[in-house]
Amino acid sequence: MALLYRADIRPTKLELIDSWLPTRSWYQGPAAPGAHRVAACRFDDPDGEVGVETILVQADDGPVLHVPLTYRGAPLPGGEPWLVGTTEHSVLGRRWVYDAAGDPVYLQTLTTAILTGGGEAEEFVDVDGRPEKRAAAMSLRGSGVPGTTVPVVGAIEQTTDGDPTRVVTGAVELTVHRVLGSAVGSGLVLTGSWDGGSPTVLAQATLR
């Protein structure tokens, strides 16, 4: 499960994304994107330390963009190239926000979902110390088989930042599609579905 808080966040996630998108080689659009959220959902970090969120955004009438993020209470060692920015959370304090493609917790949860046919985490909102369930705005589904043994992804060995973004570790090569709509998935994939959108391949995994 993912436990969320009713909190004030400054700058907001969308404001961070707006500043970060124009720095990406795969982004094509206005210098001030004015991105709005299309849909989002969470993965579950088994250790409960890192927030893992899949966010889909759109700038003007451009394509839907896939921006997975992780949220940490301290800097990720060696994670500077993947840092989107920092934000102040009124409940959790300062949070370091990363492009999840460079965060080993996301890579492990993504691999697990793809290989085991997993999906998004159940979402609960903290209301006066009591968790209340809410419906996720999108759903995720891996194409693998439940019960499949999932290797430890391990350290990143090589990355290619583009569309798609490719991340190679000792156990798996992961492909994260950024500009959605044209990706054709084969083999082991993660598919996302949301209101107003057709089921779309978000990521792929190849065991090494």
Side-chain angles (χ1 to χ4, degrees):
M1 60 173 280
L3 180 61
L4 313 176
Y5 298 91
R6 291 179 174 174
D8 183 54
I9 302 173
R10 291 290 180 268
T12 67
K13 288 179 281 189
L14 281 177
E15 287 171 340
L16 286 180
I17 290 171
D18 242 22
S19 298
W20 177 77
L21 277 177
T23 70
R24 302 299 92 192
S25 63
W26 44 267
Y27 171 72
Q28 296 182 4
H36 65 273
R37 194 182 88 154
V38 175
C41 63
R42 296 270 181 156
F43 275 134
D44 180 35
D45 170 21
D47 294 329
E49 294 294 329
V50 179
V52 183
E53 185 170 20
T54 292
I55 303 180
L56 306 183
V57 300
Q58 191 172 24
D60 293 334
D61 58 352
V64 175
L65 305 176
H66 178 207
V67 184
L69 298 176
T70 57
Y71 312 110
R72 289 175 167 265
L76 170 65
E80 290 82 1
W82 305 94
L83 183 67
V84 176
T86 60
T87 191
E88 294 295 331
H89 190 287
S90 61
V91 176
L92 300 176
R94 176 161 292 186
R95 305 291 282 171
W96 280 259
V97 182
Y98 291 93
D99 175 6
D103 192 315
V105 170
Y106 172 74
L107 300 179
Q108 188 68 58
T109 57
L110 176 62
T111 300
T112 299
I114 292 174
L115 296 186
T116 66
E120 75 283 0
E122 290 187 315
E123 295 184 9
F124 291 84
V125 178
D126 181 87
V127 180
D128 299 325
R130 184 182 67 258
E132 291 188 1
K133 187 175 180 179
R134 76 172 187 181
M138 66 179 296
S139 62
L140 305 174
R141 188 59 55 200
S143 63
V145 179
T148 297
T149 299
V150 180
V152 175
V153 169
I156 296 173
E157 296 181 356
Q158 181 182 352
T159 62
T160 303
D161 184 24
D163 180 38
T165 297
R166 290 190 170 87
V167 182
V168 179
T169 75
V172 65
E173 178 176 338
L174 291 162
T175 300
V176 178
H177 297 286
R178 301 294 197 166
V179 182
L180 302 184
S182 60
V184 178
S186 61
L188 295 166
V189 302
L190 181 78
T191 301
S193 301
W194 64 96
D195 287 345
S198 302
T200 302
V201 174
L202 303 181
Q204 297 169 244
T206 303
L207 294 175
R208 302 185 70 198

